Amino acid sequence: MNRVREQYERACRYLAGGVSSSTRVNKALGHAMLFDRGEGCRVWDLDGRDYIDLCCSHGATLLGHGDARVRAAVEAALARGFPCSYENTWHAELAELLCQTVPCLERVRFTSSGTEATMHCLRLARAFTGRPKILKFEGNFHGYHDQVMFAIGTPADRLGPEESPAPYPGSTGLAAGLDRNLVIVPYNRPDLLEAAFQRHGAEIAAVIGEPIYYNAGCIQPTREFLDALQRLPRAHGAVLIFDEVLSAFRMAPGGAQEYLGVTPDLCTLGKAVGGGFPLSVFGGRKEIMDRLMPQGDCQHSGTYNGHVVCVAAGLAAVRAYRQPGFYDHIFAVAKRLYDGLQAIFDRHGVAARVQGLGARFGIYFGVSGPIRNYRDAVRHHRDQMLRFIRLAIEQGVYFHDYGGSACHHGFCAAMTLTDVEEALRRLEGAVAQLAQGT
Ligand SMILES: Cc1ncc(COP(=O)(O)O)c(C=O)c1O
């Protein structure tokens, strides 16, 4: 038995399921992957095998593993004794930088995870509007708190009608009746969004959505859908929240909102904002953010909020994303990787579709035509995807499967065009075996 399997089995003896996070088990392998180290776009497992990393810490390490700028910032924080749970000058510096970088941000608050960021953002929206309901889109994922753990991975045969998608729970243990405060609408359906506002408009505190729907691979919003998002919440006195935990910094320094030219009232940032350290952010219009205590009456606190090491890492990371040429490189790598991978599938006669934007992408097996929402994504051939991921890992390219419908994959800025060619060579071998059914 290799060391990865041996150590995973050892972990299972005391760590529930062998992991610190349920989705960390790679469903394509049936166990968690244990990496010993990472550098740039590569990771090495416990047995010394190297992989080109197309998971990139589920999106957290957009700069690559061991980025020297982030490392220097963290070491500076450590050298100063890392007194945490206090403010220092770096908090205000990062807050100012974020407000200069992300269009909707006039004020921000720091949290440690994306889950906390969306949880606090939704509470704030309810406090601000005095209304109970949240409108979310079918399949969009906003973290692991109970308010939004519905319609995130609904099985294809339990979706319900498009006019009123089922609030299928994403976990057991949720208090009965929580879904009464949710209105669920399919993504990219402006007509159904309008109908939902006609029906529930006076009760809706907030619309929360992924501005680029990366949690089902990569789905872009249509112009009509974006127009409806800009118009309807405002017309009905609701707050528009873009959950940019995954999309932030992926295709523009100001995230999807800058790229799409749509400014929400509030947004969340996570993953890449901390440069590989646990930092998340929520923020937006001053008038709304002023409702937070101590000025206002809405609570947001936490011992580890804005941990000094993470804030230092975040400052280094956001400065790096703002460097001239950063996104030229991201788009050059994206084009070669996505076009190259699509060409490999086509050459080997494998029905698969690559959809990507900026540094993240999805692969859909056995579909024809574009994927526009969760209902399209959930119908792709999951078994074939799992086989592809298994073969890619054997060939030295790491993809992660989270256990849902389609998944998001991605690369980091440390990846060069030469690395892309190497990744494509390795993937050619995987796809050839997939096509032969081995
Ligand atoms: C869009 C979105 N929101 C929220 C979350 C939750 O973030 P975290 O895992 O940091 O709690 C995620 C995580 O994948 C996400 O993709």
Side-chain angles (χ1 to χ4, degrees), residues 283-331:
R285 277 169 47 205
K286 174 182 181 309
E287 180 196 6
I288 306 176
M289 294 297 287
D290 280 350
R291 283 298 289 265
L292 291 176
M293 293 178 185
Q295 289 136 292
D297 51 9
C298 180
Q299 181 59 280
H300 161 249
S301 282
T303 305
Y304 280 120
N305 285 354
H307 189 286
V308 66
V309 170
C310 307
V311 169
L315 253 178
V318 176
R319 283 184 183 135
Y321 305 142
R322 286 170 55 106
Q323 287 299 306
F326 184 86
Y327 290 95
D328 295 338
H329 176 67
I330 293 286
F331 277 98

Side-chain angles (χ1 to χ4, degrees), residues 100-117:
Q100 288 164 354
T101 307
V102 179
C104 84
L105 295 179
E106 294 174 354
R107 294 286 185 278
V108 297
R109 276 284 175 95
F110 299 119
T111 66
S112 302
S113 70
T115 296
E116 291 167 84

Side-chain angles (χ1 to χ4, degrees), residues 48-219:
R49 289 196 67 214
D50 82 288
Y51 304 84
I52 295 177
D53 187 3
L54 290 183
C55 168
C56 288
S57 315
H58 314 295
T61 44
L62 176 57
L63 292 172
H65 301 289
D67 180 82
R69 295 156 292 187
V70 173
R71 187 180 173 148
V74 166
E75 283 172 356
L78 293 177
R80 286 157 70 159
F82 53 94
C84 73
S85 226
Y86 304 116
E87 304 288 313
N88 76 8
T89 56
W90 292 333
H91 295 79
E93 218 174 313
L94 179 56
E96 185 178 350
L97 190 65
L98 288 169
C99 291
Q100 288 164 354
T101 307
V102 179
C104 84
L105 295 179
E106 294 174 354
R107 294 286 185 278
V108 297
R109 276 284 175 95
F110 299 119
T111 66
S112 302
S113 70
T115 296
E116 291 167 84
T118 65
M119 183 181 81
H120 286 292
C121 216
L122 291 172
R123 179 190 291 164
L124 178 60
R126 283 189 169 124
F128 182 72
T129 58
R131 296 175 176 183
K133 287 196 194 306
I134 303 297
L135 188 150
K136 86 174 278 289
F137 297 104
E138 187 177 40
N140 277 200
F141 177 63
H142 303 298
Y144 296 98
H145 60 90
D146 291 5
Q147 304 281 329
V148 287
M149 282 291 288
F150 295 92
I152 53 176
T154 313
D157 58 350
R158 306 293 292 277
L159 291 165
E162 286 192 77
E163 292 69 28
S164 57
Y168 190 83
S171 172
T172 52
L174 304 175
L178 260 187
D179 56 315
R180 274 202 298 273
N181 280 326
L182 279 185
V183 177
I184 298 164
V185 174
Y187 199 76
N188 269 335
R189 287 296 301 267
D191 54 331
L192 297 180
L193 184 61
E194 176 122 39
F197 264 103
Q198 267 158 20
R199 199 147 161 236
H200 303 282
E203 287 181 291
I204 295 176
V207 173
I208 186 166
E210 292 186 57
I212 302 293
Y213 179 14
Y214 281 120
N215 270 292
C218 177
I219 297 176

Side-chain angles (χ1 to χ4, degrees), residues 130-420:
R131 296 175 176 183
K133 287 196 194 306
I134 303 297
L135 188 150
K136 86 174 278 289
F137 297 104
E138 187 177 40
N140 277 200
F141 177 63
H142 303 298
Y144 296 98
H145 60 90
D146 291 5
Q147 304 281 329
V148 287
M149 282 291 288
F150 295 92
I152 53 176
T154 313
D157 58 350
R158 306 293 292 277
L159 291 165
E162 286 192 77
E163 292 69 28
S164 57
Y168 190 83
S171 172
T172 52
L174 304 175
L178 260 187
D179 56 315
R180 274 202 298 273
N181 280 326
L182 279 185
V183 177
I184 298 164
V185 174
Y187 199 76
N188 269 335
R189 287 296 301 267
D191 54 331
L192 297 180
L193 184 61
E194 176 122 39
F197 264 103
Q198 267 158 20
R199 199 147 161 236
H200 303 282
E203 287 181 291
I204 295 176
V207 173
I208 186 166
E210 292 186 57
I212 302 293
Y213 179 14
Y214 281 120
N215 270 292
C218 177
I219 297 176
Q220 297 202 36
T222 62
R223 191 32 65 188
E224 297 73 31
F225 183 56
L226 285 175
D227 289 346
L229 279 177
Q230 277 183 293
R231 186 170 51 83
L232 291 166
R234 186 162 307 155
H236 289 266
V239 169
L240 176 63
I241 303 171
F242 277 179
D243 180 356
E244 297 229 38
V245 165
L246 189 47
S247 58
F249 309 109
R250 225 47 81 174
M251 74 305 284
Q257 54 193 278
E258 177 186 336
Y259 178 80
L260 298 167
V262 175
T263 304
D265 299 297
L266 295 172
C267 78
T268 55
L269 316 175
K271 296 187 185 268
V273 73
F277 283 79
L279 179 73
S280 291
V281 175
F282 69 99
R285 277 169 47 205
K286 174 182 181 309
E287 180 196 6
I288 306 176
M289 294 297 287
D290 280 350
R291 283 298 289 265
L292 291 176
M293 293 178 185
Q295 289 136 292
D297 51 9
C298 180
Q299 181 59 280
H300 161 249
S301 282
T303 305
Y304 280 120
N305 285 354
H307 189 286
V308 66
V309 170
C310 307
V311 169
L315 253 178
V318 176
R319 283 184 183 135
Y321 305 142
R322 286 170 55 106
Q323 287 299 306
F326 184 86
Y327 290 95
D328 295 338
H329 176 67
I330 293 286
F331 277 98
V333 170
K335 177 150 183 42
R336 180 64 193 119
L337 180 62
Y338 306 157
D339 288 356
L341 186 52
Q342 184 67 63
I344 291 173
F345 286 130
D346 295 348
R347 219 171 20 251
H348 289 276
V350 172
R353 184 181 170 85
V354 181
Q355 284 187 191
L357 173 68
R360 288 203 92 71
F361 65 101
I363 307 172
Y364 307 91
F365 288 90
V367 295
S368 56
I371 305 295
R372 293 151 307 178
N373 57 30
Y374 180 77
R375 287 176 190 238
D376 290 343
V378 77
R379 295 197 169 97
H380 91 131
H381 292 177
R382 188 167 155 68
D383 287 353
Q384 212 183 4
M385 178 181 76
L386 294 179
R387 282 188 52 229
F388 166 74
I389 291 181
R390 212 161 30 242
L391 291 166
I393 290 173
E394 276 171 29
Q395 295 293 325
V397 179
Y398 188 72
F399 286 96
H400 194 84
D401 177 78
Y402 302 87
S405 57
C407 312
H408 56 94
H409 314 294
F411 64 86
C412 66
M415 191 165 196
T416 63
L417 287 169
T418 311
D419 295 321
V420 176

